[in-house]
Amino acid sequence: DRIIIIPLGDLHWGSSYCNRRKIVELIFWAKEKKNVFFILMGDLIECATRDSVGDGVYKQILNPYDQFVQVSQLFQYIKEKILGVHIGNHEFRIAKSSSFNPCDLLARFLETKYLGFSALNTIKIGDNLYDIATTHGTGGSRLPHIKLKKVIDFSQIYLADIYCMGHVHERITVPTEIKYRDGMDIKTKK
């Protein structure tokens, strides 16, 4: 009757700011729950390189290879609960300079879908279908209403029941209603 979907991203595994303990606790909590699933939202690993903006390459506590290995091993515990993996801008640093996409490889390793930068996912619960539009997101912003605007802009691409965007490092939720055409009828959906 009910499932919990956790859009999990921006872990930045390998960064000195990463709360590894909290992530491990979440993984082992979810492993024991039958109705908990994840969509991995990108920036799972820090991936700082010499060409990255800032001095992250000197502040990360693991190199990108070790970051990938550890995250791959960690998510192996719940691989049957992972609905898909998005790439984030941090993993894209490596992909654009080498063609090696850590998130595509992670999805293959976990035997799940690689979702790229954005995707429309359909979840069936009982007889009901729910569309969830997900993306890692782009751009910088400090103000919550500007971060929320990026999700609203994303909602112009997909008609979905739920929109999830990572990248902004903050949880902001706003229930809303939309109107859409169904044949000759105009319907409202929350």
Side-chain angles (χ1 to χ4, degrees):
D1 290 341
R2 181 178 167 210
I3 65 170
I4 297 169
I5 297 177
I6 299 173
L8 182 64
D10 297 290
L11 306 179
H12 297 278
W13 192 273
S15 165
S16 59
Y17 300 107
C18 176
N19 190 341
R20 293 180 307 228
R21 181 175 157 185
K22 189 79 167 171
I23 296 164
V24 170
E25 287 173 3
L26 175 66
I27 299 299
F28 283 97
W29 170 83
K31 184 168 178 50
E32 301 304 317
K33 307 291 182 193
K34 290 183 179 179
N35 65 336
V36 175
F37 299 91
F38 293 86
I39 298 174
L40 301 182
M41 302 291 291
D43 283 0
L44 304 172
I45 55 180
E46 182 65 8
C47 288
T49 67
R50 289 182 301 157
D51 299 325
S52 301
V53 175
D55 59 355
V57 69
Y58 305 109
K59 290 186 175 179
Q60 63 189 356
I61 58 174
L62 297 167
N63 67 53
Y65 175 81
D66 290 336
Q67 294 169 27
F68 177 82
V69 168
Q70 288 184 13
V71 164
S72 299
Q73 291 170 341
L74 180 64
F75 285 123
Q76 186 69 28
Y77 288 105
I78 58 165
K79 74 179 205 172
E80 70 283 352
K81 295 175 168 287
I82 297 173
L83 304 177
V85 181
H86 283 288
I87 188 170
N89 57 297
H90 281 243
E91 292 94 2
F92 188 65
R93 293 169 174 170
I94 291 177
K96 73 179 177 182
S97 66
S98 69
S99 82
F100 169 69
N101 182 336
C103 292
D104 184 24
L105 185 61
L106 179 64
R108 291 171 192 259
F109 181 72
L110 298 174
E111 300 174 20
T112 191
K113 295 178 200 166
Y114 172 62
L115 301 174
F117 289 107
S118 64
L120 183 63
N121 311 279
T122 302
I123 307 295
K124 184 175 183 184
I125 304 173
D127 293 331
N128 299 311
L129 296 175
Y130 300 94
D131 291 324
I132 304 173
T134 56
T135 184
H136 175 70
T138 60
S141 175
R142 294 182 186 190
L143 301 172
H145 67 282
I146 296 174
K147 293 177 182 182
L148 186 57
K149 183 185 179 311
K150 292 175 187 286
V151 178
I152 293 168
D153 291 345
F154 179 57
S155 75
Q156 302 306 302
I157 299 170
Y158 297 108
L159 175 61
D161 298 294
I162 299 171
Y163 299 92
C164 298
M165 184 179 83
H167 190 65
V168 296
H169 297 207
E170 189 171 355
R171 181 177 161 216
I172 304 169
T173 59
V174 178
T176 189
E177 290 185 355
I178 61 167
K179 295 191 183 311
Y180 67 99
R181 180 182 301 281
D182 184 10
M184 295 300 291
D185 298 324
I186 300 294
K187 295 187 175 180
T188 303
K189 191 177 216 183
K190 186 172 183 178

